[in-house]
């Protein structure tokens, strides 16, 4: 990976570590660079996008830590006994919601690279009294779970932060069982915007500059072995940039389809 990509990932990690410390009462929040859910973003990011009745059910810290661009559990159609994986789980709100939906016979995994967010999420899960959750430390580009082990992958405003989106989509395809579903909230750009124009509308750590265009998302998912791909714009966060619902079904891995396989360099271990 180019050092600039590593530096960008480190900026993302530092920004969200700061955000987690702020929720825990130990810091100043997202700082001048902003992050998804910065209070200045009003109702375009974060807890305001959850239905009021769901916010009422959450532990306070999980609600305040919410930095997403929607509620992925509302679009993922979860069933009792299923295994769910939340990519970039942050303060854990979507993992806790998922754990309740899949019930004691199911499992909800949260994956995040930021130690401070993992600590916050584990505390929030303890406060919520959910036992069927596991928070893993690792990268969404190198998911520390076996192939064909997950029924549903969700994510809330994280894939736009990745510096290697092809690897993320290939990894989602690898861990999903055949027939497994993807239900993601993310920031997505209208096709008319160039990468430069996306960068003019917001920072990378603020979930804007790294957003894929709609057709890039659709093509990336199809190349990774997904079918029934839909990208639906929901609310505008900047001119031509939208909070979106991305859905797809994993029918075959890229290898099964004879497509090029993106190999992650190494897979981080669970913690
Ligand atoms: C915008 S926050 C969203 C958190 C959570 N999904 C929510 O809705 O509140 C982004 C989260 O993704 C994590 N993250 C960003 N890039 C990541 C990567 N490449 N691998 C793993 N975690 C990542 C950050 O540490 C942070 O907790």
């Amino acid at each position: 990976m180019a050092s600039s990509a590593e530096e960008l990932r480190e900026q993302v990690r530092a920004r969200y570590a700061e955000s987690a410390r702020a929720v825990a009462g130990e810091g100043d929040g997202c700082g001048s660079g902003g992050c998804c859910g910065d209070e200045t973003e009003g109702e375009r990011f974060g807890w305001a996008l959850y239905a009021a009745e769901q916010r009422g059910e959450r532990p306070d810290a999980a609600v305040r830590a919410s930095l997403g661009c929607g509620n992925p559990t509302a679009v993922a159609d979860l069933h009792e006994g299923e295994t769910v994986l939340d990519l970039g789980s942050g303060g854990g709100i979507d993992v806790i919601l998922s754990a309740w939906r899949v019930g004691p016979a199911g499992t909800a995994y949260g994956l995040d690279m930021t130690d401070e967010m993992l600590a916050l999420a584990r505390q929030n899960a303890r406060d919520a009294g959910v036992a069927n959750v596991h928070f893993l430390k690792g990268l969404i580009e190198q998911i520390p779970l076996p192939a064909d082990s997950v029924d549903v992958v969700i994510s809330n405003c994280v894939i736009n932060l990745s510096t290697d989106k092809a690897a993320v989509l290939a990894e989602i395809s690898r861990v999903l069982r055949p027939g497994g579903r993807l239900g993601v909230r993310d920031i997505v750009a209208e096709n008319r915007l160039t990468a430069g124009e996306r960068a003019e509308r917001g920072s990378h750590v603020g979930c804007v500059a790294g957003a894929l265009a709609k057709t890039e998302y659709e093509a990336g998912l199809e190349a990774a072995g997904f079918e029934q791909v839909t990208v639906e714009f929901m609310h505008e966060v900047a001119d031509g940039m939208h909070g979106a619902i991305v859905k797809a079904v994993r029918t075959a891995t890229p290898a099964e389809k004879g497509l090029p396989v993106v190999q992650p360099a190494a897979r981080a271990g669970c913690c």
Side-chain angles (χ1 to χ4, degrees):
M1 185 192 302
S3 66
S4 62
E6 287 172 10
E7 284 166 14
L8 204 48
R9 181 180 289 160
E10 194 43 47
Q11 283 174 21
V12 170
R13 190 197 312 269
R15 183 64 65 202
Y16 290 99
E18 192 182 344
S19 174
R21 285 194 294 271
V23 171
E26 300 164 9
D28 295 332
C30 289
S32 57
C35 64
C36 303
D38 185 337
E39 59 276 13
T40 61
E41 298 290 349
E43 299 208 345
R44 286 174 288 165
F45 291 100
W47 64 270
L49 295 167
Y50 288 76
E53 63 274 18
Q54 289 186 304
R55 298 200 304 265
E57 290 171 353
R58 303 285 71 71
D60 282 351
V63 170
R64 281 187 285 123
S66 174
L67 300 169
C69 37
N71 176 357
T73 67
V75 301
D77 192 23
L78 306 181
H79 305 295
E80 290 235 349
E82 289 190 316
T83 299
V84 182
L85 168 65
D86 181 19
L87 300 180
S89 44
I93 185 167
D94 298 315
V95 180
I96 296 169
L97 281 168
S98 299
W100 285 348
R101 292 210 176 162
V102 299
T107 302
Y109 289 100
L111 173 64
D112 207 287
M113 66 178 180
T114 304
D115 288 322
E116 290 83 349
M117 278 296 185
L118 289 162
L120 182 63
R122 290 181 179 123
Q123 184 60 52
N124 289 337
R126 279 192 293 275
D127 290 348
V130 286
N132 54 334
V133 297
H134 302 280
F135 289 98
L136 312 176
K137 181 174 181 180
L139 298 174
I140 63 174
E141 296 85 357
Q142 300 165 19
I143 299 174
L145 286 173
D148 297 348
S149 61
V150 172
D151 297 299
V152 182
V153 170
I154 63 171
S155 185
N156 197 349
C157 229
V158 178
I159 294 175
N160 68 79
L161 293 168
S162 174
T163 53
D164 189 350
K165 292 170 180 74
V168 176
L169 301 183
E171 279 290 87
I172 297 171
S173 178
R174 182 185 65 81
V175 299
L176 276 175
R177 297 189 175 106
R181 290 108 60 205
L182 176 72
V184 160
R185 302 299 296 245
D186 205 0
I187 301 300
V188 180
E190 291 176 21
N191 296 329
R192 66 182 169 89
L193 296 184
T194 64
E197 288 167 336
R198 295 173 224 170
E200 284 168 6
R201 284 157 172 73
S203 67
H204 187 96
V205 297
C207 297
V208 173
L212 290 171
K214 185 172 183 286
T215 50
E216 291 172 339
Y217 229 127
E218 291 163 345
L221 282 166
E222 281 160 13
F226 287 89
E227 291 181 1
Q228 301 172 44
V229 175
T230 57
V231 178
E232 186 184 359
F233 291 154
M234 301 305 291
H235 60 288
E236 196 167 50
V237 299
D239 174 31
M241 313 280 303
H242 301 263
I245 294 173
V246 180
K247 292 169 86 171
V249 176
R250 188 276 220 192
T251 48
T253 63
E256 286 162 357
K257 286 191 139 188
L259 296 165
V261 180
V262 180
Q263 292 287 359
R267 215 154 266 137
C270 302
C271 61

